[in-house]
Amino acid sequence: MANKARILVTGAGGFIGHHLTRALKAEGHWVRGVDLKQPEFESTGADEFELLDLRRWENCQKATRDVDQVYNLAANMGGIGFIESNKAVIMHDNVLINIHMLEAARENEVDRYLYTSSACIYPGGLQDDPDVTPLEEDQAYPADPEDGYGWEKLFSERQCRHYTEDYGLETRVVRFHNIFGPLGTYEGGREKSPAAICRKVALAQDNDEIEIWGDGKQTRSYCYIDDCVEGLQRLMDSDHRDPLNLGQDRMLSIDELVDIVCEIGGKSLKKRYDLDKPTGVRGRNSDNSRLRKTLGWVPQVTLERGLERTYRWIRDQLRKQGRIDD
Ligand code: NAD
């Protein structure tokens, strides 16, 4: 973007919000970060960082004052284990955040508002085969999203659309497909599969056995954080008002993902499959046709390169804690 803007990033204490804040600052924008917590692994790059609970209306009013753009990333969320066992609180918190944030952005006359949705909004019935057909944006309806988390995301997508139609608020909606990278949660229950696998491999000794959730045949695509942050800014600056996938379109199984991480870690490990653990849909991939056409761009960082950086960062964290000494 040529002009320097005043930008609010919510969820700026979280994984994607923290990276986005740094990237926006590097572009010369003024950034206010808002979250319930400070970033966990390094200090924020924001000009101003406010600890606010965005479930509360008056805090959303405060957060959106005097800004041109809002990237609304704040959400109560985590990996599949977390979202499958916390549906009520996830829907409660995220509906409140997104309803209040949109209305506050309108009241404070924000120019542009970007909402971060998820591939979890796509119908379950389209994703019951590991060899799944990549998901196109228009396939979101008829709706049958992931229970809890996915329903809230789809509802909030709709509300963005209605604020554009009824009030003229410029909204952008992105559907992320498994974003990963350094400075993300890697343990504690909210971590996603790439971070969890990197942690398990880093902690294992050569020839150990590691636990895999499910039978290892479920498939996904994974997008590195630098591409995510670039795609977010490109979408915000574009004229595209409809939801847009943002992810890689290289699909692989969890088994294959584990093999790549083992190779990066230089370890040969056995897999123990826990079939009682939640795994989500059987297969999921992003169709990037609209992304390519709309933004003239697609994610660039290879999975191997992204995983290498992520593995190295997680291994270094574990080393600092004295949990590995290789
Ligand atoms: P994250 O959990 O690291 O960040 C979310 C942040 O929101 C956290 O720092 C959390 O403290 C904050 N938050 C939660 N409740 C809040 C509240 N009441 N008030 C203020 N802040 C609050 O998650 P992330 O991976 O950075 O995800 C960012 C956004 O992208 C979320 O909306 C998420 O649903 C969406 N998303 C992420 C992925 C992914 O693969 N990471 C995939 C699909 C969608």
Side-chain angles (χ1 to χ4, degrees), residues 11 13-17 34-37 52-55 72-77 97 116-119 149 153 176-179 185 192:
F15 168 50
I16 301 173
V34 168
D35 203 301
L36 289 171
K37 61 175 176 70
L52 294 173
D53 183 344
L54 296 172
R55 291 172 299 186
N72 185 29
L73 278 71
N76 189 354
M77 65 98 63
I97 293 170
T116 50
S117 183
S118 163
Y149 178 73
K153 289 287 187 198
F176 289 142
H177 290 249
N178 299 312
I179 312 302
T185 303
K192 314 274 178 52

Side-chain angles (χ1 to χ4, degrees), residues 171-216:
T171 60
R172 306 284 178 266
V173 173
V174 69
R175 292 178 184 154
F176 289 142
H177 290 249
N178 299 312
I179 312 302
F180 75 99
L183 309 179
T185 303
Y186 58 88
E187 67 185 341
R190 286 185 188 247
E191 69 277 20
K192 314 274 178 52
S193 53
I197 290 165
C198 286
R199 183 197 72 231
K200 288 177 188 180
V201 173
L203 286 172
Q205 304 293 330
D206 205 16
N207 294 316
D208 272 0
E209 190 177 77
I210 58 167
E211 182 194 79
I212 310 293
W213 288 17
D215 65 1

Side-chain angles (χ1 to χ4, degrees), residues 16-293:
I16 301 173
H18 174 64
H19 281 277
L20 176 64
T21 298
R22 291 206 162 240
L24 291 169
K25 276 304 298 169
E27 298 276 316
H29 300 295
W30 183 91
V31 182
R32 175 184 300 136
V34 168
D35 203 301
L36 289 171
K37 61 175 176 70
Q38 292 280 347
E40 204 175 330
F41 304 108
E42 60 179 31
S43 60
T44 182
D47 295 277
E48 193 174 286
F49 194 97
E50 296 185 343
L51 292 174
L52 294 173
D53 183 344
L54 296 172
R55 291 172 299 186
R56 298 179 65 91
W57 163 242
E58 61 277 13
N59 288 340
C60 293
Q61 282 178 304
K62 192 173 174 207
T64 51
R65 71 196 187 282
D66 303 325
V67 292
D68 309 310
Q69 299 182 352
V70 173
Y71 286 87
N72 185 29
L73 278 71
N76 189 354
M77 65 98 63
I80 190 71
F82 181 79
I83 65 175
E84 283 206 357
S85 50
N86 291 280
K87 290 176 192 147
V89 70
I90 284 174
M91 288 194 75
H92 172 270
D93 290 359
N94 296 346
V95 164
L96 288 177
I97 293 170
N98 294 319
I99 283 288
H100 289 329
M101 278 299 298
L102 260 175
E103 178 59 13
R106 179 180 83 88
E107 198 179 270
N108 278 325
E109 297 179 350
V110 161
D111 294 334
R112 286 188 181 205
Y113 181 99
L114 185 146
Y115 173 61
T116 50
S117 183
S118 163
C120 290
I121 63 90
Y122 286 109
L126 298 177
Q127 306 171 78
D128 49 17
D129 188 329
D131 191 20
V132 67
T133 306
L135 295 158
E136 290 173 27
E137 286 81 353
D138 292 342
Q139 292 179 303
Y141 298 95
D144 176 23
E146 173 95 32
D147 202 6
Y149 178 73
W151 274 109
E152 188 282 323
K153 289 287 187 198
L154 198 58
F155 165 81
S156 295
E157 285 192 1
R158 286 309 277 194
Q159 190 67 339
C160 287
R161 175 181 168 149
H162 298 317
Y163 266 66
T164 303
E165 289 167 350
D166 295 358
Y167 302 127
L169 177 66
E170 281 289 339
T171 60
R172 306 284 178 266
V173 173
V174 69
R175 292 178 184 154
F176 289 142
H177 290 249
N178 299 312
I179 312 302
F180 75 99
L183 309 179
T185 303
Y186 58 88
E187 67 185 341
R190 286 185 188 247
E191 69 277 20
K192 314 274 178 52
S193 53
I197 290 165
C198 286
R199 183 197 72 231
K200 288 177 188 180
V201 173
L203 286 172
Q205 304 293 330
D206 205 16
N207 294 316
D208 272 0
E209 190 177 77
I210 58 167
E211 182 194 79
I212 310 293
W213 288 17
D215 65 1
K217 306 278 184 293
Q218 65 272 33
T219 53
R220 295 289 186 276
S221 66
Y222 298 92
C223 179
Y224 189 63
I225 184 68
D226 291 3
D227 282 328
C228 166
V229 162
E230 171 145 15
L232 278 174
Q233 293 172 85
R234 283 175 180 261
L235 176 60
M236 180 67 108
D237 296 345
S238 79
D239 295 328
H240 190 74
R241 293 186 177 131
D242 293 325
L244 193 64
N245 284 334
L246 177 48
Q248 280 280 10
D249 56 5
R250 172 179 166 197
M251 189 170 73
L252 74 170
S253 68
I254 292 290
D255 273 343
E256 290 169 318
L257 186 69
V258 173
D259 292 344
I260 295 173
V261 177
C262 284
E263 185 156 342
I264 291 168
K267 295 178 188 179
S268 170
L269 301 174
K270 298 179 207 63
K271 304 181 186 99
R272 176 168 34 86
Y273 298 104
D274 187 339
L275 303 181
D276 294 330
K277 287 286 186 347
T279 55
V281 294
R282 195 69 181 136
R284 175 178 288 154
N285 193 8
S286 175
D287 184 310
N288 284 349
S289 313
R290 189 173 291 176
L291 179 71
R292 187 175 286 106
K293 189 161 164 240

